[in-house]
């Protein structure tokens, strides 16, 4: 991701200073015109705007804490993934060292960097975001969510909640298909059709959820239990692991056990809220 981001800035004509814990990883960018910093301190001193793209905030602290003396006056755009609370803690930590902190949540893989149709969530001081918005939009479109440093991380993580669950369901369904002699390519148009139907369901249920309307006039939780049981038994009969449908079935059954069998499956919001 860092390679793609630095490359996008080089392509846009920016002067770019790069630093990586493994110096060789910066070689290709240096060959394209980037300046290689010999230390994190040197990298921080090079520009007001500092882009961080690391695995998590532990990695951020591992790099920045030894170089904390060079943070004053810098704007840290932290595109590393972590929790909303850790983003708030990092913003407070940065402020304690005289730096501004913008939390970012990049919604695309490296191949999406440099494309305006891609998007990144941002949160933190609005005036700081606006001052550097043009530079941030070199990477992707920018979706500013508010002053709370945790908001960008929150929006990112709830997107990942949906993405990984949906993709895992696809992988599981593909395993069941394969066990029955259906190739991934043969299954593809049907998988795409199912995924393409989801936006309509989301648009239907969102206003009902906000209104607290979980009436079972369109779907009923008890019928959902029967449906998921059939999915589980189909996987089991195909010799495919049932951990995923079993987990879904457990959530549905908990809703029914609480007396909500006649309600919509959206009543499961209460099950999740209860932990």
């Amino acid at each position: 991701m860092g390679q793609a981001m630095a490359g996008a800035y080089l392509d846009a004509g920016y002067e770019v200073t790069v630093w990586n814990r493994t110096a060789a990883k910066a070689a290709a960018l240096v060959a394209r015109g980037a300046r290689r910093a010999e230390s994190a301190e040197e990298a921080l001193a090079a520009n007001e705007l500092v882009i961080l793209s690391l695995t998590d905030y532990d990695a951020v602290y591992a790099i920045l804490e030894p170089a904390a003396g060079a943070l004053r006056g810098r704007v840290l755009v932290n595109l590393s993934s972590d929790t909303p609370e850790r983003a708030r803690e990092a913003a407070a930590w940065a402020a304690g060292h005289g730096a501004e902190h913008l939390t970012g949540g990049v919604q695309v893989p490296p191949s999406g960097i440099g494309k305006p149709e891609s998007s990144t969530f941002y949160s933190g001081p609005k005036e700081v975001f606006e001052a550097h918005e043009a530079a941030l939009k070199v990477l992707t479109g920018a979706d500013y969510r508010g002053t709370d440093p945790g908001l960008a991380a929150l929006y990112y993580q709830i997107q990942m909640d949906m993405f990984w669950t949906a993709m895992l369901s696809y992988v599981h369904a593909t395993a069941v298909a394969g066990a029955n002699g259906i190739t991934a390519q043969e299954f593809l148009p049907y998988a795409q059709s199912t995924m393409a139907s989801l936006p309509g369901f989301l648009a239907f249920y969102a206003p009902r959820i906000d209104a607290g309307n979980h009436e079972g006039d369109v779907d009923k939780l008890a019928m959902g239990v029967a449906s998921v049981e059939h999915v589980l038994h189909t996987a089991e009969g195909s010799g495919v692991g049932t951990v995923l449908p079993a987990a879904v079935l457990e959530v549905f059954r908990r809703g029914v056990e609480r007396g909500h069998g006649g309600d919509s499956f959206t009543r499961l919001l209460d099950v999740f809220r209860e932990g």
Side-chain angles (χ1 to χ4, degrees), residues 147-212:
T147 58
D148 176 356
L151 280 174
L154 175 61
Y155 272 89
Y156 175 79
Q157 296 303 348
I158 57 181
Q159 293 282 97
M160 288 299 97
D161 187 349
M162 290 183 62
F163 176 79
W164 287 120
T165 305
M167 290 304 294
L168 190 57
S169 72
Y170 162 69
V171 171
H172 185 269
T174 302
V176 176
N180 289 277
I182 301 169
T183 68
Q185 197 63 40
E186 289 172 322
F187 177 47
L188 177 61
Y190 304 99
Q192 289 176 321
S193 176
T194 296
M195 291 297 187
S197 73
L198 296 183
F201 286 100
L202 302 183
F204 174 79
Y205 283 112
R208 290 168 67 106
I209 289 171
D210 283 342

Side-chain angles (χ1 to χ4, degrees), residues 3-16 29 32 113-114 138:
Q3 293 266 351
M5 290 176 177
Y9 280 121
L10 289 170
D11 291 342
Y14 281 73
E15 292 184 4
V16 181
L29 292 168
R32 291 175 58 186
I113 298 300
V138 170

Side-chain angles (χ1 to χ4, degrees), residues 20 47 80 82 86 109 145 163 167 170 175 193 203 217 249-250 260:
N20 192 288
N47 292 294
S80 311
D82 220 308
R86 294 207 78 190
R145 294 285 82 207
F163 176 79
M167 290 304 294
Y170 162 69
S193 176
D217 57 332
L249 183 57
E250 171 62 20
H260 302 307

Side-chain angles (χ1 to χ4, degrees), residues 99 102 117 119 139 161 226 259:
L102 283 176
E117 65 270 23
S119 188
L139 300 179
D161 187 349

Side-chain angles (χ1 to χ4, degrees), residues 164-271:
W164 287 120
T165 305
M167 290 304 294
L168 190 57
S169 72
Y170 162 69
V171 171
H172 185 269
T174 302
V176 176
N180 289 277
I182 301 169
T183 68
Q185 197 63 40
E186 289 172 322
F187 177 47
L188 177 61
Y190 304 99
Q192 289 176 321
S193 176
T194 296
M195 291 297 187
S197 73
L198 296 183
F201 286 100
L202 302 183
F204 174 79
Y205 283 112
R208 290 168 67 106
I209 289 171
D210 283 342
N213 178 8
H214 303 289
E215 184 181 353
D217 57 332
V218 174
D219 70 283
K220 286 183 170 53
L221 195 52
M223 291 303 296
V225 169
S227 177
V228 180
E229 283 177 341
H230 298 157
V231 171
L232 186 148
H233 294 151
T234 299
E236 195 171 47
S238 302
V240 173
T242 59
V243 171
L244 182 60
V248 175
L249 183 57
E250 171 62 20
V251 176
F252 272 73
R253 283 176 172 167
R254 285 171 61 188
V256 172
E257 288 167 1
R258 285 163 171 74
H260 302 307
D263 292 344
S264 167
F265 88 103
T266 59
R267 180 66 74 178
L268 294 175
L269 280 164
D270 295 340
V271 174

Side-chain angles (χ1 to χ4, degrees), residues 1-2 5 19-22 25 40 50-64 77-82 104 106 156:
M1 185 67 84
M5 290 176 177
W19 180 81
N20 192 288
R21 287 171 289 186
T22 304
K25 291 184 177 180
V50 179
I51 309 291
L52 299 163
S53 180
L54 297 159
T55 303
D56 54 30
Y57 281 25
D58 286 341
V60 170
Y61 289 122
I63 290 170
L64 294 186
V77 180
N78 193 349
L79 303 178
S80 311
S81 175
D82 220 308
V106 185
Y156 175 79

